[in-house]
Amino acid sequence: MSANNALVAFVRNPELGKVKTRVAKGSSDEKALEVYKNLLEILRNNILELPYDKYIYYADAVHENDIWDKDKFTKKLQHQLDLGNRMYTTFADLFEEGKDNIVITGSDCPYLKSSHISQAFDALKNHDAVIGPANDGGYYLIGLSKLNKHIFQDIAWSTETVFEQTLKKMKENNMSFT
């Protein structure tokens, strides 16, 4: 029996002023939006043909007519909480729906390939969690095969120690991870 896997992409709505200018450091809001739209296209192309249930979780509002074809992607709205609570709530909701393994990724990592996502799901066959470190001290991907709220609590989000803090929480909660 194959696993019931869910791939989630957290996306910002591609609207002027709603995209972080860090995606195009030192640039205007217009340039940041252009760069972000390109990042969304890269992400879509990398995950489009993957054999998982694919979810797009929008930051502000669900867009019906955009690059995320509703026949291939389930569209939902992120809960309006801090990042840790948004991720935890997403994992909790999808586990409640019966998913076995869930991977969440952001939308601003142009180097994320479909092979990274497949490797993450493979790792979840033998581990409670998988996490991909980002250059800024955070992570670009996190996956779980069982829910654990504690790894999302008391984390200093948007700092260079997010990855390190999360690993510490995983160890404290006796989670197997890679």
Side-chain angles (χ1 to χ4, degrees):
M1 181 176 178
S2 65
N4 187 8
N5 295 320
L7 172 60
V8 175
F10 274 14
V11 301
R12 290 189 173 276
N13 293 77
E15 298 168 5
L16 193 63
K18 293 199 176 191
V19 183
K20 290 182 183 177
T21 52
R22 75 177 171 94
V23 301
K25 288 182 181 163
S27 297
S28 65
D29 284 348
E30 289 81 5
K31 182 63 176 175
L33 178 59
E34 178 186 333
V35 169
Y36 188 67
K37 284 181 176 180
N38 288 335
L39 290 170
L40 290 176
E41 288 281 345
I42 291 168
L43 176 64
R44 183 181 58 87
N45 292 339
N46 283 332
I47 68 174
L48 187 61
E49 299 305 323
L50 288 172
Y52 314 115
D53 293 338
K54 293 176 281 295
Y55 294 80
I56 302 303
Y57 274 70
Y58 294 84
D60 298 313
V62 174
H63 288 198
E64 291 305 320
N65 298 312
D66 59 9
I67 67 168
W68 309 104
D69 181 352
K70 65 182 177 185
D71 294 333
K72 299 199 182 261
F73 299 94
T74 300
K75 300 178 178 193
K76 295 190 174 208
L77 187 62
Q78 294 176 37
H79 295 272
Q80 298 302 312
L81 307 163
D82 71 33
L83 180 59
N85 281 313
R86 288 194 318 259
M87 286 190 288
Y88 168 74
T89 303
T90 298
F91 278 115
D93 289 350
L94 291 173
F95 278 125
E96 180 72 23
E97 287 180 19
K99 300 302 178 192
D100 297 318
N101 301 299
I102 303 160
V103 169
I104 295 178
T105 186
S107 55
D108 60 356
C109 183
Y111 307 109
L112 178 70
K113 304 289 182 219
S114 58
S115 59
H116 297 123
I117 294 166
S118 295
Q119 290 168 359
F121 279 110
D122 285 345
L124 289 173
K125 293 174 184 173
N126 300 308
H127 295 87
D128 299 327
V130 62
I131 187 167
N135 292 334
D136 65 1
Y139 49 85
Y140 64 87
L141 175 151
I142 187 166
L144 298 177
S145 61
K146 70 178 189 179
L147 190 59
N148 188 315
K149 184 174 190 163
H150 303 290
I151 64 172
F152 300 108
Q153 294 177 326
D154 303 317
I155 301 286
W157 299 105
S158 299
T159 67
E160 66 282 347
T161 61
V162 170
F163 178 76
E164 179 184 304
Q165 292 174 68
T166 305
L167 287 184
K168 183 178 180 209
K169 295 269 186 183
M170 288 178 176
K171 290 174 187 171
E172 289 172 356
N173 285 277
N174 299 312
M175 295 178 74
S176 64
F177 61 89
T178 183

